[in-house]
């Protein structure tokens, strides 16, 4: 057999995540500067003022994205590793799926962006306890409707595309790749 195939490791993209943090911080700063310069347009500091409530919620959301952007920027551990032993998923789960537990792998286009789908054997899916949620918009792992033991790996904010992850899976286990 030829040279050993190197594993594919997908980490959080440095540029994407620091840009997200900077833009979010800039949006909060721009709103504050606008209201300081135009105090007549500023909402009153009261929960009875719906504009104050709205801007406070938006500021909290942007502060959250600053936190997420900075924490992902600083986190250099691989979030997805595809190697000869299987697929490791990070994103706070730190789960390893052996190739024997994976039934199929494919790309699915979601809008313009391809996403990696992994079908997992029911016993392994339950044992992995992936804690998937349809409502967590920032999560790199999502459930797939109609497929109770499959996981969708989003490549948003990662430094490796879903297509490259599929190619890695094809390299290690071509029989699992579905079209």
């Amino acid at each position: 057999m030829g040279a050993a195939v190197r594993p594919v490791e997908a980490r959080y993209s440095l540029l994407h995540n620091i840009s997200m943090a900077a833009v979010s911080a800039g949006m909060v700063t721009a709103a504050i500067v606008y209201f300081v310069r135009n105090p007549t347009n500023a909402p009153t500091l009261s929960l009875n003022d719906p504009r104050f409530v709205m801007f406070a919620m938006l500021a909290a959301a942007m502060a959250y994205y600053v936190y997420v952007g900075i924490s992902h920027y600083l986190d250099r551990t691989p979030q997805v590793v595809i190697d000869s032993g299987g697929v490791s998923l990070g994103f706070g789960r730190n789960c390893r799926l052996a190739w024997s537990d994976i039934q199929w792998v494919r790309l699915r286009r979601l809008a313009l962006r391809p996403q990696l789908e992994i079908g997992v054997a029911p016993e392994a899916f339950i044992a992995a306890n992936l804690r998937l949620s349809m409502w967590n918009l920032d999560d790199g792992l999502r459930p797939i409707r109609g497929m109770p033991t499959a996981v969708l790996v989003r490549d948003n904010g990662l430094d490796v595309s879903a297509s490259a992850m599929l190619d890695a899976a094809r390299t290690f286990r071509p029989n699992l790749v579905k079209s």
Side-chain angles (χ1 to χ4, degrees):
M1 193 163 156
V5 180
R6 295 183 55 195
V8 169
E9 296 182 347
R11 291 177 171 76
Y12 288 121
S13 170
L14 295 175
L15 181 61
H16 172 87
N17 287 291
I18 203 64
S19 297
M20 178 174 62
V23 168
S24 299
M27 292 172 78
V28 172
T29 303
I32 292 170
V33 168
Y34 175 76
F35 290 133
V36 166
R37 288 188 177 175
N38 301 303
T40 57
N41 292 336
T44 57
L45 297 175
S46 167
L47 291 177
N48 294 328
D49 185 351
R51 292 184 330 132
F52 172 75
V53 173
M54 180 186 70
F55 281 111
M57 289 175 57
L58 291 173
M62 291 299 104
Y64 171 73
Y65 281 110
V66 169
Y67 166 75
V68 168
I70 291 172
S71 63
H72 286 183
Y73 176 81
L74 297 174
D75 185 359
R76 299 311 306 146
T77 58
Q79 300 306 309
V80 179
V81 177
I82 301 173
D83 60 19
S84 61
V87 178
S88 294
L89 302 172
F91 305 104
R93 276 53 162 225
N94 302 324
C95 168
R96 177 90 174 152
L97 300 170
W99 287 119
S100 60
D101 295 330
I102 297 173
Q103 297 175 327
W104 52 266
V105 180
R106 72 178 177 201
L107 274 187
R108 173 180 167 218
R109 293 233 176 249
L110 190 60
L112 298 174
R113 199 162 188 131
Q115 308 295 312
L116 183 70
E117 292 183 340
I118 303 172
V120 183
E123 303 81 25
F125 188 84
I126 292 168
N129 190 21
L130 294 172
R131 302 177 314 276
L132 302 177
S133 170
M134 292 296 283
W135 307 112
N136 191 346
L137 301 176
D138 294 328
D139 199 351
L141 300 178
R142 307 277 300 274
I144 302 171
R145 287 188 186 173
M147 297 181 178
T149 63
V151 62
L152 177 82
V153 180
R154 297 173 64 215
D155 65 356
N156 300 6
L158 296 179
D159 61 358
V160 174
S161 70
S163 300
M165 288 186 253
L166 180 70
D167 290 342
R170 184 177 286 125
T171 300
F172 292 107
R173 292 293 189 273
N175 60 319
L176 296 178
V177 177
K178 288 174 54 176
S179 52

